[in-house]
Amino acid sequence: MNKEIIQTEIQYKAVRSSGAGGQNVNKVATKVQIQFFVEQSNGLTADEKSTLTEKLANRITKEGFIMVECGETRSQLKNKELCTQRLFMLLESALKKDKKRIATKIPKAVIKKRLEDKQRIADKKENRKFRF
């Protein structure tokens, strides 16, 4: 993944934020939406593209792009930086290789304790029976 190339491929769009904020919200477009087209990217290899489309299938739209938006701050520049950071964090986490799980055995002491507990409960229930 080449971050410099990807950063040039990101499309930024500023829109009006929602929620409270008075005139600032009504007049200024501080919320930032970014779009990143996965399949058309030159900053990703073919393997990375296929991994991203597989792992981020729920985040990729029908048109084939990932959309991230941020409207936390009143500054458009800060929102733009936050959006870009979130996109790269999303891409890096999706491209991270999962560790292979190593199967382990159940310790013999645990098996022995479980069987002893089971026998103790069985004995307790057996002693409850009324005998003539």
Side-chain angles (χ1 to χ4, degrees):
M1 180 170 76
N2 191 338
K3 287 187 177 183
E4 290 81 27
I5 295 174
I6 290 174
Q7 204 144 20
T8 60
E9 296 172 342
I10 296 173
Q11 296 176 356
Y12 295 93
K13 183 180 175 184
V15 293
R16 288 188 184 161
S17 294
S18 61
Q23 286 184 327
N24 192 61
V25 172
N26 298 333
K27 290 182 175 181
V28 184
T30 56
K31 184 178 184 180
V32 176
Q33 295 177 339
I34 61 175
Q35 295 178 347
F36 174 66
F37 289 87
V38 177
E39 291 299 322
Q40 299 173 2
S41 176
N42 295 325
L44 298 170
T45 63
D47 291 338
E48 291 174 336
K49 288 178 187 178
S50 63
T51 303
L52 286 175
T53 52
E54 182 181 313
K55 286 191 174 179
L56 299 176
N58 59 335
R59 295 289 306 253
I60 297 176
T61 62
K62 291 178 185 175
E63 292 81 27
F65 61 84
I66 297 173
M67 188 173 199
V68 180
E69 55 184 37
C70 179
E72 292 178 8
T73 66
R74 292 177 66 163
S75 168
Q76 190 182 92
L77 183 63
K78 286 182 185 176
N79 284 337
K80 190 175 180 181
E81 291 170 359
L82 283 170
C83 252
T84 309
Q85 288 174 359
R86 286 181 187 169
L87 177 70
F88 283 122
M89 284 173 40
L90 181 70
L91 295 178
E92 287 170 2
S93 65
L95 290 174
K96 193 180 292 184
K97 301 273 184 187
D98 294 333
K99 287 185 180 179
K100 187 176 178 182
R101 184 186 177 278
I102 300 170
T104 57
K105 292 184 178 179
I106 300 172
K108 290 184 179 180
V110 172
I111 295 172
K112 184 179 176 185
K113 182 183 181 302
R114 181 176 52 84
L115 291 174
E116 287 173 354
D117 289 344
K118 191 174 180 181
Q119 187 61 49
R120 193 177 313 115
I121 292 169
D123 290 343
K124 186 193 306 182
K125 290 185 175 186
E126 185 66 32
N127 291 334
R128 289 180 190 159
K129 291 182 179 177
F130 182 74
R131 294 187 193 114
F132 289 104

mmCIF file of all heavy atoms in Angstrom, residues 76-109:
data_model
loop_
_atom_site.group_PDB
_atom_site.id
_atom_site.type_symbol
_atom_site.label_atom_id
_atom_site.label_comp_id
_atom_site.label_asym_id
_atom_site.label_seq_id
_atom_site.Cartn_x
_atom_site.Cartn_y
_atom_site.Cartn_z
ATOM 1 N N GLN A 76 -12.957 22.737 8.869
ATOM 2 C CA GLN A 76 -12.997 21.838 7.714
ATOM 3 C C GLN A 76 -11.653 21.136 7.536
ATOM 4 O O GLN A 76 -11.602 19.951 7.215
ATOM 5 C CB GLN A 76 -13.334 22.643 6.450
ATOM 6 C CG GLN A 76 -13.628 21.784 5.249
ATOM 7 C CD GLN A 76 -13.902 22.618 4.022
ATOM 8 O OE1 GLN A 76 -12.979 22.903 3.271
ATOM 9 N NE2 GLN A 76 -15.142 23.005 3.831
ATOM 10 N N LEU A 77 -10.562 21.845 7.798
ATOM 11 C CA LEU A 77 -9.226 21.274 7.637
ATOM 12 C C LEU A 77 -8.986 20.129 8.623
ATOM 13 O O LEU A 77 -8.470 19.070 8.254
ATOM 14 C CB LEU A 77 -8.160 22.360 7.827
ATOM 15 C CG LEU A 77 -6.717 21.924 7.606
ATOM 16 C CD1 LEU A 77 -6.523 21.484 6.163
ATOM 17 C CD2 LEU A 77 -5.763 23.049 7.952
ATOM 18 N N LYS A 78 -9.390 20.321 9.881
ATOM 19 C CA LYS A 78 -9.232 19.259 10.887
ATOM 20 C C LYS A 78 -10.091 18.050 10.541
ATOM 21 O O LYS A 78 -9.666 16.902 10.702
ATOM 22 C CB LYS A 78 -9.594 19.779 12.281
ATOM 23 C CG LYS A 78 -8.559 20.697 12.872
ATOM 24 C CD LYS A 78 -8.959 21.131 14.257
ATOM 25 C CE LYS A 78 -7.981 22.155 14.806
ATOM 26 N NZ LYS A 78 -8.402 22.668 16.113
ATOM 27 N N ASN A 79 -11.316 18.304 10.069
ATOM 28 C CA ASN A 79 -12.188 17.203 9.655
ATOM 29 C C ASN A 79 -11.583 16.444 8.481
ATOM 30 O O ASN A 79 -11.683 15.215 8.399
ATOM 31 C CB ASN A 79 -13.577 17.720 9.293
ATOM 32 C CG ASN A 79 -14.388 18.069 10.514
ATOM 33 O OD1 ASN A 79 -14.138 17.570 11.596
ATOM 34 N ND2 ASN A 79 -15.361 18.939 10.343
ATOM 35 N N LYS A 80 -10.942 17.165 7.572
ATOM 36 C CA LYS A 80 -10.297 16.540 6.414
ATOM 37 C C LYS A 80 -9.153 15.632 6.876
ATOM 38 O O LYS A 80 -9.018 14.504 6.399
ATOM 39 C CB LYS A 80 -9.776 17.644 5.497
ATOM 40 C CG LYS A 80 -9.298 17.192 4.161
ATOM 41 C CD LYS A 80 -8.927 18.414 3.325
ATOM 42 C CE LYS A 80 -8.434 18.028 1.967
ATOM 43 N NZ LYS A 80 -8.055 19.186 1.165
ATOM 44 N N GLU A 81 -8.359 16.122 7.826
ATOM 45 C CA GLU A 81 -7.254 15.320 8.347
ATOM 46 C C GLU A 81 -7.769 14.088 9.089
ATOM 47 O O GLU A 81 -7.232 12.985 8.930
ATOM 48 C CB GLU A 81 -6.387 16.168 9.277
ATOM 49 C CG GLU A 81 -5.605 17.249 8.565
ATOM 50 C CD GLU A 81 -4.951 18.236 9.518
ATOM 51 O OE1 GLU A 81 -5.123 18.090 10.749
ATOM 52 O OE2 GLU A 81 -4.270 19.151 9.024
ATOM 53 N N LEU A 82 -8.807 14.269 9.895
ATOM 54 C CA LEU A 82 -9.390 13.142 10.637
ATOM 55 C C LEU A 82 -9.942 12.088 9.681
ATOM 56 O O LEU A 82 -9.775 10.876 9.896
ATOM 57 C CB LEU A 82 -10.499 13.624 11.570
ATOM 58 C CG LEU A 82 -10.065 14.311 12.855
ATOM 59 C CD1 LEU A 82 -11.267 14.937 13.554
ATOM 60 C CD2 LEU A 82 -9.395 13.320 13.778
ATOM 61 N N CYS A 83 -10.600 12.538 8.630
ATOM 62 C CA CYS A 83 -11.168 11.612 7.634
ATOM 63 C C CYS A 83 -10.063 10.800 6.964
ATOM 64 O O CYS A 83 -10.201 9.589 6.793
ATOM 65 C CB CYS A 83 -11.912 12.414 6.565
ATOM 66 S SG CYS A 83 -13.673 12.248 6.661
ATOM 67 N N THR A 84 -8.998 11.482 6.593
ATOM 68 C CA THR A 84 -7.895 10.799 5.925
ATOM 69 C C THR A 84 -7.256 9.778 6.852
ATOM 70 O O THR A 84 -6.968 8.653 6.436
ATOM 71 C CB THR A 84 -6.850 11.827 5.456
ATOM 72 O OG1 THR A 84 -7.507 12.855 4.705
ATOM 73 C CG2 THR A 84 -5.803 11.190 4.572
ATOM 74 N N GLN A 85 -7.066 10.147 8.116
ATOM 75 C CA GLN A 85 -6.504 9.203 9.087
ATOM 76 C C GLN A 85 -7.407 7.987 9.250
ATOM 77 O O GLN A 85 -6.925 6.852 9.308
ATOM 78 C CB GLN A 85 -6.324 9.882 10.449
ATOM 79 C CG GLN A 85 -5.197 10.877 10.501
ATOM 80 C CD GLN A 85 -5.158 11.609 11.832
ATOM 81 O OE1 GLN A 85 -5.997 11.379 12.701
ATOM 82 N NE2 GLN A 85 -4.186 12.505 11.991
ATOM 83 N N ARG A 86 -8.708 8.214 9.328
ATOM 84 C CA ARG A 86 -9.654 7.094 9.489
ATOM 85 C C ARG A 86 -9.622 6.159 8.296
ATOM 86 O O ARG A 86 -9.700 4.935 8.445
ATOM 87 C CB ARG A 86 -11.067 7.623 9.689
ATOM 88 C CG ARG A 86 -11.284 8.206 11.051
ATOM 89 C CD ARG A 86 -12.693 8.691 11.197
ATOM 90 N NE ARG A 86 -12.860 9.399 12.450
ATOM 91 C CZ ARG A 86 -13.918 10.112 12.780
ATOM 92 N NH1 ARG A 86 -14.930 10.208 11.949
ATOM 93 N NH2 ARG A 86 -13.986 10.728 13.931
ATOM 94 N N LEU A 87 -9.519 6.721 7.095
ATOM 95 C CA LEU A 87 -9.449 5.887 5.895
ATOM 96 C C LEU A 87 -8.210 5.008 5.928
ATOM 97 O O LEU A 87 -8.280 3.803 5.668
ATOM 98 C CB LEU A 87 -9.467 6.741 4.628
ATOM 99 C CG LEU A 87 -9.331 5.956 3.329
ATOM 100 C CD1 LEU A 87 -10.594 5.145 3.076
ATOM 101 C CD2 LEU A 87 -9.044 6.865 2.165
ATOM 102 N N PHE A 88 -7.050 5.601 6.261
ATOM 103 C CA PHE A 88 -5.824 4.811 6.297
ATOM 104 C C PHE A 88 -5.859 3.766 7.409
ATOM 105 O O PHE A 88 -5.364 2.657 7.229
ATOM 106 C CB PHE A 88 -4.597 5.720 6.432
ATOM 107 C CG PHE A 88 -4.230 6.399 5.137
ATOM 108 C CD1 PHE A 88 -4.185 7.770 5.052
ATOM 109 C CD2 PHE A 88 -3.946 5.666 4.004
ATOM 110 C CE1 PHE A 88 -3.859 8.401 3.869
ATOM 111 C CE2 PHE A 88 -3.624 6.276 2.807
ATOM 112 C CZ PHE A 88 -3.574 7.650 2.735
ATOM 113 N N MET A 89 -6.461 4.101 8.550
ATOM 114 C CA MET A 89 -6.601 3.106 9.613
ATOM 115 C C MET A 89 -7.498 1.954 9.161
ATOM 116 O O MET A 89 -7.214 0.779 9.434
ATOM 117 C CB MET A 89 -7.181 3.755 10.875
ATOM 118 C CG MET A 89 -6.189 4.592 11.642
ATOM 119 S SD MET A 89 -6.862 5.533 13.025
ATOM 120 C CE MET A 89 -8.014 4.443 13.765
ATOM 121 N N LEU A 90 -8.570 2.288 8.444
ATOM 122 C CA LEU A 90 -9.488 1.271 7.928
ATOM 123 C C LEU A 90 -8.776 0.354 6.939
ATOM 124 O O LEU A 90 -8.898 -0.876 7.003
ATOM 125 C CB LEU A 90 -10.681 1.957 7.266
ATOM 126 C CG LEU A 90 -11.772 1.081 6.695
ATOM 127 C CD1 LEU A 90 -12.553 0.412 7.824
ATOM 128 C CD2 LEU A 90 -12.711 1.908 5.845
ATOM 129 N N LEU A 91 -8.009 0.946 6.024
ATOM 130 C CA LEU A 91 -7.289 0.159 5.021
ATOM 131 C C LEU A 91 -6.224 -0.718 5.678
ATOM 132 O O LEU A 91 -6.082 -1.894 5.339
ATOM 133 C CB LEU A 91 -6.653 1.074 3.977
ATOM 134 C CG LEU A 91 -7.604 1.877 3.103
ATOM 135 C CD1 LEU A 91 -6.827 2.780 2.159
ATOM 136 C CD2 LEU A 91 -8.533 0.973 2.308
ATOM 137 N N GLU A 92 -5.471 -0.150 6.629
ATOM 138 C CA GLU A 92 -4.410 -0.916 7.281
ATOM 139 C C GLU A 92 -4.976 -2.078 8.095
ATOM 140 O O GLU A 92 -4.427 -3.182 8.081
ATOM 141 C CB GLU A 92 -3.585 -0.003 8.189
ATOM 142 C CG GLU A 92 -2.674 0.926 7.421
ATOM 143 C CD GLU A 92 -2.046 2.000 8.301
ATOM 144 O OE1 GLU A 92 -2.296 2.002 9.527
ATOM 145 O OE2 GLU A 92 -1.307 2.832 7.753
ATOM 146 N N SER A 93 -6.079 -1.839 8.801
ATOM 147 C CA SER A 93 -6.658 -2.926 9.594
ATOM 148 C C SER A 93 -7.220 -4.028 8.705
ATOM 149 O O SER A 93 -7.176 -5.207 9.060
ATOM 150 C CB SER A 93 -7.744 -2.393 10.526
ATOM 151 O OG SER A 93 -8.833 -1.900 9.789
ATOM 152 N N ALA A 94 -7.751 -3.662 7.545
ATOM 153 C CA ALA A 94 -8.278 -4.679 6.631
ATOM 154 C C ALA A 94 -7.158 -5.473 5.963
ATOM 155 O O ALA A 94 -7.330 -6.655 5.657
ATOM 156 C CB ALA A 94 -9.157 -4.019 5.572
ATOM 157 N N LEU A 95 -6.013 -4.830 5.750
ATOM 158 C CA LEU A 95 -4.905 -5.501 5.076
ATOM 159 C C LEU A 95 -4.009 -6.279 6.039
ATOM 160 O O LEU A 95 -3.139 -7.024 5.599
ATOM 161 C CB LEU A 95 -4.052 -4.482 4.308
ATOM 162 C CG LEU A 95 -4.717 -3.865 3.085
ATOM 163 C CD1 LEU A 95 -3.853 -2.774 2.504
ATOM 164 C CD2 LEU A 95 -5.020 -4.919 2.040
ATOM 165 N N LYS A 96 -4.239 -6.123 7.349
ATOM 166 C CA LYS A 96 -3.411 -6.823 8.328
ATOM 167 C C LYS A 96 -3.709 -8.319 8.261
ATOM 168 O O LYS A 96 -4.858 -8.737 8.212
ATOM 169 C CB LYS A 96 -3.713 -6.297 9.731
ATOM 170 C CG LYS A 96 -2.693 -6.733 10.776
ATOM 171 C CD LYS A 96 -3.040 -6.187 12.137
ATOM 172 C CE LYS A 96 -2.868 -4.680 12.157
ATOM 173 N NZ LYS A 96 -3.103 -4.115 13.497
ATOM 174 N N LYS A 97 -2.646 -9.101 8.248
ATOM 175 C CA LYS A 97 -2.796 -10.559 8.183
ATOM 176 C C LYS A 97 -3.269 -11.082 9.534
ATOM 177 O O LYS A 97 -2.782 -10.672 10.580
ATOM 178 C CB LYS A 97 -1.456 -11.212 7.840
ATOM 179 C CG LYS A 97 -0.863 -10.770 6.532
ATOM 180 C CD LYS A 97 -1.377 -11.603 5.426
ATOM 181 C CE LYS A 97 -0.661 -11.191 4.127
ATOM 182 N NZ LYS A 97 -1.203 -11.830 2.994
ATOM 183 N N ASP A 98 -4.231 -11.992 9.506
ATOM 184 C CA ASP A 98 -4.714 -12.624 10.722
ATOM 185 C C ASP A 98 -3.718 -13.692 11.154
ATOM 186 O O ASP A 98 -3.183 -14.429 10.320
ATOM 187 C CB ASP A 98 -6.088 -13.257 10.497
ATOM 188 C CG ASP A 98 -7.169 -12.226 10.226
ATOM 189 O OD1 ASP A 98 -7.004 -11.081 10.693
ATOM 190 O OD2 ASP A 98 -8.157 -12.574 9.560
ATOM 191 N N LYS A 99 -3.504 -13.774 12.472
ATOM 192 C CA LYS A 99 -2.615 -14.801 12.986
ATOM 193 C C LYS A 99 -3.287 -16.162 12.859
ATOM 194 O O LYS A 99 -4.487 -16.289 13.076
ATOM 195 C CB LYS A 99 -2.288 -14.539 14.455
ATOM 196 C CG LYS A 99 -1.345 -13.397 14.685
ATOM 197 C CD LYS A 99 -0.990 -13.316 16.150
ATOM 198 C CE LYS A 99 -0.033 -12.182 16.407
ATOM 199 N NZ LYS A 99 0.314 -12.078 17.839
ATOM 200 N N LYS A 100 -2.478 -17.160 12.533
ATOM 201 C CA LYS A 100 -3.009 -18.512 12.434
ATOM 202 C C LYS A 100 -3.219 -19.056 13.836
ATOM 203 O O LYS A 100 -2.345 -18.949 14.699
ATOM 204 C CB LYS A 100 -2.032 -19.410 11.669
ATOM 205 C CG LYS A 100 -2.579 -20.770 11.372
ATOM 206 C CD LYS A 100 -1.627 -21.594 10.538
ATOM 207 C CE LYS A 100 -2.201 -22.970 10.294
ATOM 208 N NZ LYS A 100 -1.290 -23.818 9.537
ATOM 209 N N ARG A 101 -4.382 -19.617 14.077
ATOM 210 C CA ARG A 101 -4.704 -20.146 15.392
ATOM 211 C C ARG A 101 -4.007 -21.481 15.588
ATOM 212 O O ARG A 101 -4.045 -22.362 14.730
ATOM 213 C CB ARG A 101 -6.213 -20.339 15.543
ATOM 214 C CG ARG A 101 -6.623 -20.807 16.925
ATOM 215 C CD ARG A 101 -8.109 -21.130 16.981
ATOM 216 N NE ARG A 101 -8.474 -21.641 18.279
ATOM 217 C CZ ARG A 101 -8.320 -22.887 18.666
ATOM 218 N NH1 ARG A 101 -7.788 -23.768 17.840
ATOM 219 N NH2 ARG A 101 -8.679 -23.279 19.869
ATOM 220 N N ILE A 102 -3.359 -21.611 16.750
ATOM 221 C CA ILE A 102 -2.690 -22.862 17.085
ATOM 222 C C ILE A 102 -3.614 -23.654 18.010
ATOM 223 O O ILE A 102 -3.976 -23.184 19.087
ATOM 224 C CB ILE A 102 -1.344 -22.589 17.792
ATOM 225 C CG1 ILE A 102 -0.435 -21.774 16.874
ATOM 226 C CG2 ILE A 102 -0.675 -23.886 18.199
ATOM 227 C CD1 ILE A 102 0.814 -21.258 17.547
ATOM 228 N N ALA A 103 -3.984 -24.831 17.561
ATOM 229 C CA ALA A 103 -4.882 -25.671 18.349
ATOM 230 C C ALA A 103 -4.139 -26.194 19.567
ATOM 231 O O ALA A 103 -2.989 -26.637 19.472
ATOM 232 C CB ALA A 103 -5.388 -26.828 17.513
ATOM 233 N N THR A 104 -4.786 -26.130 20.720
ATOM 234 C CA THR A 104 -4.172 -26.622 21.953
ATOM 235 C C THR A 104 -5.021 -27.740 22.529
ATOM 236 O O THR A 104 -6.218 -27.821 22.267
ATOM 237 C CB THR A 104 -4.042 -25.495 22.997
ATOM 238 O OG1 THR A 104 -5.338 -24.954 23.247
ATOM 239 C CG2 THR A 104 -3.123 -24.396 22.501
ATOM 240 N N LYS A 105 -4.378 -28.576 23.340
ATOM 241 C CA LYS A 105 -5.093 -29.680 23.970
ATOM 242 C C LYS A 105 -5.605 -29.231 25.335
ATOM 243 O O LYS A 105 -5.028 -28.358 25.969
ATOM 244 C CB LYS A 105 -4.165 -30.876 24.153
ATOM 245 C CG LYS A 105 -3.758 -31.525 22.847
ATOM 246 C CD LYS A 105 -2.915 -32.747 23.116
ATOM 247 C CE LYS A 105 -2.536 -33.429 21.817
ATOM 248 N NZ LYS A 105 -1.697 -34.617 22.045
ATOM 249 N N ILE A 106 -6.658 -29.877 25.789
ATOM 250 C CA ILE A 106 -7.180 -29.611 27.118
ATOM 251 C C ILE A 106 -6.251 -30.300 28.119
ATOM 252 O O ILE A 106 -5.957 -31.496 27.962
ATOM 253 C CB ILE A 106 -8.625 -30.134 27.261
ATOM 254 C CG1 ILE A 106 -9.539 -29.454 26.241
ATOM 255 C CG2 ILE A 106 -9.148 -29.907 28.667
ATOM 256 C CD1 ILE A 106 -10.926 -30.046 26.170
ATOM 257 N N PRO A 107 -5.769 -29.578 29.131
ATOM 258 C CA PRO A 107 -4.866 -30.206 30.109
ATOM 259 C C PRO A 107 -5.529 -31.383 30.827
ATOM 260 O O PRO A 107 -6.738 -31.371 31.088
ATOM 261 C CB PRO A 107 -4.574 -29.074 31.099
ATOM 262 C CG PRO A 107 -4.871 -27.827 30.350
ATOM 263 C CD PRO A 107 -5.950 -28.162 29.372
ATOM 264 N N LYS A 108 -4.723 -32.387 31.145
ATOM 265 C CA LYS A 108 -5.259 -33.593 31.797
ATOM 266 C C LYS A 108 -5.847 -33.285 33.163
ATOM 267 O O LYS A 108 -6.834 -33.893 33.576
ATOM 268 C CB LYS A 108 -4.170 -34.647 31.906
ATOM 269 C CG LYS A 108 -3.800 -35.234 30.564
ATOM 270 C CD LYS A 108 -2.798 -36.343 30.691
ATOM 271 C CE LYS A 108 -2.496 -36.902 29.312
ATOM 272 N NZ LYS A 108 -1.522 -37.988 29.341
ATOM 273 N N ALA A 109 -5.257 -32.319 33.875
ATOM 274 C CA ALA A 109 -5.767 -31.957 35.201
ATOM 275 C C ALA A 109 -7.177 -31.382 35.092
ATOM 276 O O ALA A 109 -8.031 -31.630 35.954
ATOM 277 C CB ALA A 109 -4.834 -30.945 35.858
#
